[in-house]
Every structure is written in structure tokens, then in C-alpha cells.
Amino acid sequence: MGLDTENDYHSLEALPSKKDIENKEGSRESMKVLGFWQVVFTVTNGMIGPVILVVPYSFALVGVHGWIMYAFAFFMFWFTGHCLYRAQMSRPGSMLYQSYPEIGGGLLGPRGRSAIGLSITVELIGLCAAFVVIVGDNLVKVQPLLYLFGVELNKTSWILAFTACVLPTVLMQNYGVLADMSKIGVVVCFSIPVIVIGSHIINPVTNYYAPEDIVIEGPGFNYENLPLALGIVSVAYTTHAIFPTVVARMKHIEEFPRVLQLSFGAVTAFYLLAGAGFYLYGKSTDPQITFNLPESCKKRQQQ
């Protein structure tokens, strides 16, 4: 088939040489630094985050059968994770796609690259905003400790201070260190349900809530609040943004499907455990479960 247009000639000129391809493959091989468990913790930390504080509220929105949403979300997001993995592996040779814009460009062309790049950027900005607001809400609770040092910060100040502390990590290029830092995030997030359940064991809910305030309405499924509840669930599983980067830096890329199974399974199990907060506080479950703990409840009653 002949070359009929000037564009065809330019496209041939743009083709990389064999040496360029070998150099790129060599450089990308050198970036494969993440082991299996490092990727497991990174993916798990990307999912669970501070959204675990809101999980009990998602149960309260729809009723006692809220676990159905998480079972459905587990299969849906786990399956889409496999689809993304296969799309990333579809590139010939060892030159994997490194990001969503690259995947979009490879599958849909330049317009696909721009559209997907824009959508993923908007999503990440929204998630970051929600993340710092949730953390700021809870950091306010340590304010009494700062009174001892004559320091007083409002909610906005806490949000700005937290943002300033986290922002430098965006510039980190050592993915091994970031993966190890994820272990801390996972442990901290997993401690939330333990604290809520432990608080109930030490100081039962009925000591500071009237029985009629913690009634669990059911057994029906509240469809009116389903859109908001599904929004919370979708945020609870939004770790797909890091998949291309993490996969490209795995030492053994073929192990990623196992990473998905382990990470999604562990996170779903813990979300269901976190849902115990709803079964403790019933219809009085707050949008952030830490607001239901004894000290927060007493402060609201005094106000």
C-alpha cells in the first residue's frame, strides 16, 4: 500500500527508531521497584483513606441492607480494575502505558488523551478537596490539647495546616518510600472501627444516647437516599487513579490481579466492619462516625 499523502510521510518520520525504543524500555525497566506487598498497601491505602469515617453514614442512609451496596461495588470496581490492567497491558512490547492520558491516547487518539486527562484531573482535585475537609473536621478535636500551649486554630486553619504538610509528598519521586508510607495510612484507617467498637464496649451507647434515638429503622431499603449513599460508596473505592502508575512500577506485573483480589477483599471486609457504627447509633449516626463518640456527643448536648 503506497504513501499517498503528506501526513503519511510525516507519520513515518515521527516513528521512533529501534534504538529509541530500546532506551525507553531500559529506562522503564529500571523504574520497576515495587514489590507485591508494597503494591497491596499502596492500593489499599488509596481506597480506604478517611472515607472510612463516612461509611456508617452510608448504611444509615439506606437502612440495614446497606451491605448490598458494598458487595455490588466490590465486584464492579474489582472487575473494572482488571479491565484497566488489560488495557494497560495491551501495548505491544514492554512499553506499558504510564497514565490514564496515555491509555486514552493509545485507544482513542489525541482527543481521547485530552478528554481522559481532563476528567481524571477534575476527579483527583475533587477527591483531594473532600479529603482535606474530612481530615480538618477531625483535627479540630485535638484543639483542647493545643490550649495548653496557648495555640488556638479554627477549622480553616487546620485544613490549611494539613494541606501544607501533605503537599510536599506530591513532589516525591521515590515510589518505594511512598508505598512504605501507605502502611501507616492503612493502619491508621483500620484503627477507626476498632476505636468506635472499643468505645462502645468501654462506655455503652445507651449511656449517652436515649434508646429511641438509636433505633434502627428497617428492614426495608431506603431508595430515596440511594444516590447519596452510592456516591459515598464510589468514593470509598476510588483507587483506580493510581493503577497505571503502580502497575508500571511493579517488579512482577503479572501479580497485579492478585493485588486486586487481596486489596479489594480486605477493604470490603473492613468497610462492612466499619458499618457496625450504624448498628450502634442507628438513626443518630452522624456523617462522620467520630462525631458520635461520647465526648463529641456531650459537647453537642451542652450546646
Side-chain angles (χ1 to χ4, degrees):
M1 183 173 170
L3 299 174
D4 299 325
T5 65
E6 184 179 353
N7 289 335
D8 290 330
Y9 287 104
H10 286 302
S11 64
L12 277 181
E13 293 174 359
L15 289 176
S17 66
K18 182 178 180 180
K19 185 177 180 180
D20 291 336
I21 293 175
E22 290 176 352
N23 289 337
K24 287 184 178 181
E25 290 181 354
S27 62
R28 295 196 176 187
E29 284 294 325
S30 65
M31 292 191 300
K32 295 181 179 179
V33 296
L34 299 181
F36 176 80
W37 287 106
Q38 286 179 309
V39 178
V40 168
F41 277 103
T42 300
V43 173
T44 302
N45 186 54
M47 272 188 285
I48 199 163
V51 75
I52 198 168
L53 298 170
V54 194
V55 168
Y57 184 63
S58 68
F59 279 77
L61 288 172
V62 297
V64 293
H65 298 304
W67 61 269
I68 297 176
M69 297 186 302
Y70 286 89
F72 172 75
F74 164 77
F75 287 107
M76 182 178 69
F77 285 96
W78 171 75
F79 176 73
T80 54
H82 274 280
C83 292
L84 287 169
Y85 170 71
R86 294 185 63 181
Q88 190 172 3
M89 296 293 290
S90 65
R91 195 170 190 175
S94 59
M95 296 176 60
L96 296 177
Y97 293 116
Q98 299 285 302
S99 63
Y100 277 104
E102 283 192 17
I103 295 176
L107 300 179
L108 303 174
R111 291 185 178 180
R113 181 186 182 94
S114 300
I116 292 179
L118 177 62
S119 63
I120 199 69
T121 300
V122 171
E123 177 194 1
L124 291 176
I125 291 175
L127 287 175
C128 288
F131 176 71
V132 297
V133 169
I134 291 175
V135 173
D137 284 341
N138 286 274
L139 285 176
V140 172
K141 295 184 179 299
V142 304
Q143 181 62 48
L145 298 177
L146 296 183
Y147 288 147
L148 301 175
F149 303 96
V151 178
E152 183 175 355
L153 296 175
N154 56 25
K155 177 180 174 181
T156 303
S157 299
W158 276 113
I159 291 175
L160 293 176
F162 174 75
T163 303
C165 292
V166 173
L167 194 59
T169 63
V170 178
L171 304 176
M172 291 184 64
Q173 297 298 316
N174 190 326
Y175 289 90
V177 174
L178 289 173
D180 292 334
M181 291 173 62
S182 296
K183 298 176 184 178
I184 301 174
V186 170
V187 172
V188 171
C189 293
F190 278 7
S191 68
I192 300 298
V194 176
I195 292 173
V196 173
I197 296 173
S199 173
H200 171 66
I201 295 174
I202 296 171
N203 186 9
V205 175
T206 51
N207 288 350
Y208 51 96
Y209 274 102
E212 61 271 15
D213 291 335
I214 56 175
V215 172
I216 298 177
E217 299 177 353
F221 196 89
N222 190 344
Y223 291 96
E224 293 181 1
N225 297 325
L226 186 59
L228 178 57
L230 287 177
I232 295 174
V233 174
S234 64
V235 172
Y237 284 94
T238 48
T239 189
H240 289 62
I242 65 173
F243 283 177
T245 303
V246 168
V247 170
R249 284 162 177 78
M250 286 188 69
K251 294 178 180 177
H252 304 287
I253 299 175
E254 67 279 1
E255 292 182 336
F256 190 69
R258 287 179 52 217
V259 170
L260 290 178
Q261 293 174 357
L262 185 58
S263 299
F264 276 80
V267 168
T268 301
F270 227 80
Y271 280 155
L272 296 179
L273 177 62
F278 162 66
Y279 294 97
L280 293 176
Y281 298 104
K283 64 181 183 180
S284 293
T285 303
D286 273 301
Q288 295 182 43
I289 192 62
T290 49
F291 293 170
N292 285 113
L293 296 178
E295 291 301 319
S296 298
C297 179
K298 289 178 182 178
K299 289 180 181 179
R300 283 203 306 271
Q301 291 174 349
Q302 291 172 359
Q303 293 173 353

